[in-house]
Amino acid sequence: MSSANLTLPNDFFFGAAMSGPQTEGMYKAHGKLENLWDTWSDLDIRAFYNRVGSYAGNDMGARYAEDFALLRDLGLSSFRTSIQWSRLLDVDGKLNVEGAAFYHDYFAAAREAGIEVFVNLYHFDMPVYLFRRGGWENREVVEAYANYARTAFAEFGQEIEHWFTFNEPIVEPEQRYEHGNWYPFLHDFAQARRVQYGISLAHSLAVGAFRELQAKGVVRADAQIGLINCFTPPYTREDPTPADLEAVRMTDGLGNRWWLDLVTKGRLPQDVLDTMAERGVTLPVRAGDEAILAQGKVDWLGFNYYQPARVQAPSHDVDEWGNPVFSERYVWPDAVMNKSRGWEIYPKGIYDFAMTMTRDYSDLDWFVSENGIGIMEDKAVRTEDGRIDDTAYRIPFVRDHLQWIAKAIDEGARCRGYHYWGVIDCWSWNNAYKNRYGFIEVDLSHNYERRLKASAEWLRHVATTHCLDEA
Ligand code: BGP
């Protein structure tokens, strides 16, 4: 796309996205319970890049006042993080008063700095004692999450306007249960879908609790609730066969439409459930579930966008673990890759998703809730004043995505804002600090000191002027 002089609407908001477990640190403070990341770090620290485990965060738990001032100084108006379930509740599911006090102080500091905090409730971080009881497959754990959500709404309902139930609910089923990448490293398609179903019920119960508490005035009247997912626009080869298109349908169905139907229609896509059933995979549906899922409709949606899904018809029906296979990766010869992360860079995907929303889910407002580029040798080049010079890759990446957003808005997309992922470098799960996303450097060898990178000036220009021309 040409670098035309494009402008984003005046009320389009700019902000930062991060999460509690990736920033707070203080992993044992306030009586915080052990979560799955702490467990995996303790079991095998070598699985984490440079042996930096879940304890790290980026020191934001101690530096939040300074960090909110930095974000504000860049012209950002909002910031999404997550409450950590393991910090807010004790092992009996009761409010942990010390943990709650931490978040009250944190939210107050953000308000003081002129930053609105968007609060997400779950970011891949289950307390391990609940995982040991069966995790999302156990209805008691689903109920425990609903209790957690209800407690958070009751505690912070007057302070927070924008709530989200889950970040990327597709990721744990895939990473932990299907692809075997994250602890406990399983390869079971059917189990992954049971987990996905448990999460769908948990989301819906939380939305139900939110509505009930809002009707009672416990949650403020202007508050909204949503879901955030990494929707991947699906593509296949040119001149596809019917089997290639079938691979697209199931990829889209399992990863995108599953959640889009849940949050707009209050049900799961029947064609996907039917195809799964034909291959012997059914969900543990109970009487009353339909009514629970019907509560899952949200006020708006967050769209995390990093890469598209390129798929084709699978060459095998079943994989080496006996799982049904519905698609396989299609390697597009023209793909531009972020080699540090192994993810394709395809800014037009954001526009294609926007057009799908405009066509198929036209009633729903949404925003880009994560987008960003993580680079391994980010600190390789420095300007004379010692700043990381990331301008050659970070500015074009963000500008190209924003240009496609501007075009989509011109064509009717209800995209309300943009949150860049990891404006301040933060801990990236088992990649730890390998790939840096930030406009603000975190210097691990100097006690997590913050330093603006060279591209930060450009971000400030765009966030304050809404113009995508050269800074
Ligand atoms: C998203 C997650 C974030 C963040 C980001 C970057 O999927 O919601 O938590 O980590 O991806 O990915 P990574 O950290 O794996 O490079």
Side-chain angles (χ1 to χ4, degrees):
M1 200 181 179
S2 75
S3 54
N5 182 6
L6 292 167
T7 307
L8 287 155
N10 283 340
D11 59 354
F12 187 87
F13 60 82
F14 285 90
M18 288 179 248
S19 76
Q22 292 173 274
T23 58
E24 287 170 11
M26 307 191 306
Y27 83 126
K28 287 196 169 154
H30 317 120
K32 181 183 163 300
L33 305 174
E34 183 177 327
N35 71 25
L36 273 172
W37 293 97
D38 304 329
T39 308
W40 186 13
S41 301
D42 284 348
L43 281 174
D44 182 13
I45 195 63
R46 287 164 312 166
F48 294 80
Y49 186 76
N50 277 349
R51 303 184 181 222
V52 177
S54 64
Y55 52 86
N58 70 0
D59 205 29
M60 197 166 178
R63 293 174 179 259
Y64 54 79
E66 175 196 341
D67 285 348
F68 293 140
L70 282 171
L71 297 180
R72 189 66 238 178
D73 181 55
L74 289 181
L76 307 179
S77 61
S78 51
F79 165 62
R80 188 246 304 186
T81 187
S82 60
I83 292 176
Q84 295 198 65
W85 186 351
S86 53
R87 202 186 295 286
L88 191 69
L89 296 195
D90 68 16
V91 75
D92 298 316
K94 300 271 180 296
L95 186 77
N96 165 10
V97 176
E98 252 191 279
F102 166 77
Y103 289 113
H104 281 298
D105 291 348
Y106 187 99
F107 299 151
R111 273 195 303 279
E112 218 161 284
I115 295 280
E116 187 197 340
V117 182
F118 290 12
V119 172
N120 173 42
L121 290 174
Y122 187 86
H123 203 121
F124 321 146
D125 58 340
M126 183 174 284
V128 77
Y129 79 97
L130 293 170
F131 175 76
R132 292 194 175 121
R133 291 181 192 168
W136 294 117
E137 285 172 280
N138 180 347
R139 290 294 173 110
E140 283 171 26
V141 172
V142 170
E143 289 293 341
Y145 169 85
N147 166 61
Y148 159 53
R150 185 178 282 277
T151 309
F153 299 145
E155 188 66 21
F156 306 107
Q158 294 301 316
E159 292 173 51
I160 300 301
E161 198 179 322
H162 290 106
W163 290 93
F164 299 91
T165 55
F166 281 84
N167 175 77
E168 301 188 350
I170 189 65
V171 163
E172 282 195 304
E174 288 186 349
Q175 295 289 76
R176 296 194 194 286
Y177 294 89
E178 189 177 349
H179 300 153
N181 294 328
W182 286 356
Y183 177 81
F185 319 110
L186 302 171
H187 290 274
D188 187 333
F189 179 89
Q191 189 177 10
R193 301 293 80 79
R194 292 197 297 273
V195 167
Q196 190 163 333
Y197 186 61
I199 293 174
S200 306
L201 292 166
H203 157 81
S204 304
L205 286 170
V207 177
F210 178 89
R211 305 265 182 243
E212 184 194 318
L213 293 176
Q214 194 167 39
K216 289 184 180 150
V218 176
V219 166
R220 49 194 278 178
D222 58 358
Q224 293 193 309
I225 190 148
L227 175 86
I228 291 170
N229 193 37
C230 45
F231 297 103
T232 51
Y235 306 92
T236 188
R237 58 175 78 240
E238 276 178 41
D239 299 325
T241 63
D244 291 326
L245 295 176
E246 189 52 15
V248 169
R249 180 181 69 82
M250 279 305 279
T251 302
D252 192 35
L254 287 166
N256 302 325
R257 286 190 291 119
W258 181 294
W259 310 107
L260 288 168
D261 282 10
L262 174 63
V263 302
T264 58
K265 300 171 186 161
R267 57 172 192 265
L268 304 175
Q270 195 55 47
D271 65 298
V272 175
L273 303 184
D274 289 347
T275 305
M276 278 171 29
E278 282 161 21
R279 305 288 292 275
V281 178
T282 52
L283 300 174
V285 177
R286 293 187 188 170
D289 284 2
E290 215 174 294
I292 294 174
L293 295 176
Q295 298 172 24
K297 295 185 205 167
V298 297
D299 301 318
W300 73 328
L301 193 74
F303 166 39
N304 292 355
Y305 182 63
Y306 293 93
Q307 57 175 342
R310 297 201 186 271
V311 295
Q312 60 187 352
S315 43
H316 306 283
D317 269 359
V318 174
D319 70 11
E320 57 186 296
W321 295 278
N323 295 302
V325 180
F326 296 98
S327 67
E328 71 181 29
R329 187 162 171 233
Y330 168 60
V331 180
W332 185 40
D334 296 338
V336 175
M337 300 299 291
N338 168 8
K339 295 201 182 74
S340 298
R341 190 62 184 78
W343 285 348
E344 184 184 339
I345 301 175
Y346 187 65
K348 180 172 179 283
I350 226 163
Y351 170 82
D352 290 338
F353 173 81
M355 292 300 107
T356 301
M357 288 299 291
T358 310
R359 190 188 61 227
D360 297 340
Y361 303 93
S362 59
D363 289 342
L364 207 60
D365 277 2
W366 54 277
F367 75 112
V368 175
S369 39
E370 283 185 30
N371 178 235
I373 183 163
I375 294 292
M376 187 169 174
E377 292 303 331
D378 199 36
K379 61 183 174 193
V381 186
R382 293 204 183 249
T383 58
E384 270 173 21
D385 60 0
R387 294 181 176 196
I388 288 177
D389 190 354
D390 58 340
T391 49
Y393 45 86
R394 192 152 285 118
I395 294 176
F397 180 93
V398 178
R399 180 195 284 127
D400 289 354
H401 285 84
L402 288 174
Q403 285 186 347
W404 282 108
I405 293 171
K407 180 173 159 59
I409 293 173
D410 279 352
E411 294 174 25
R414 299 175 63 159
C415 178
R416 301 300 181 221
Y418 177 87
H419 277 187
Y420 182 85
W421 172 258
V423 168
I424 304 171
D425 286 339
C426 65
W427 183 76
S428 279
W429 315 115
N430 52 321
N431 281 332
Y433 277 92
K434 174 174 165 284
N435 306 312
R436 302 293 190 108
Y437 286 83
F439 282 91
I440 299 171
E441 175 186 6
V442 168
D443 188 343
L444 293 183
S445 48
H446 288 93
N447 193 30
Y448 298 89
E449 200 177 284
R450 276 59 169 144
R451 204 177 295 122
L452 296 188
K453 300 183 190 176
S455 58
E457 307 295 344
W458 178 84
L459 179 65
R460 182 189 288 119
H461 170 77
V462 171
T464 52
T465 65
H466 292 202
C467 282
L468 300 172
D469 52 0
E470 303 296 326

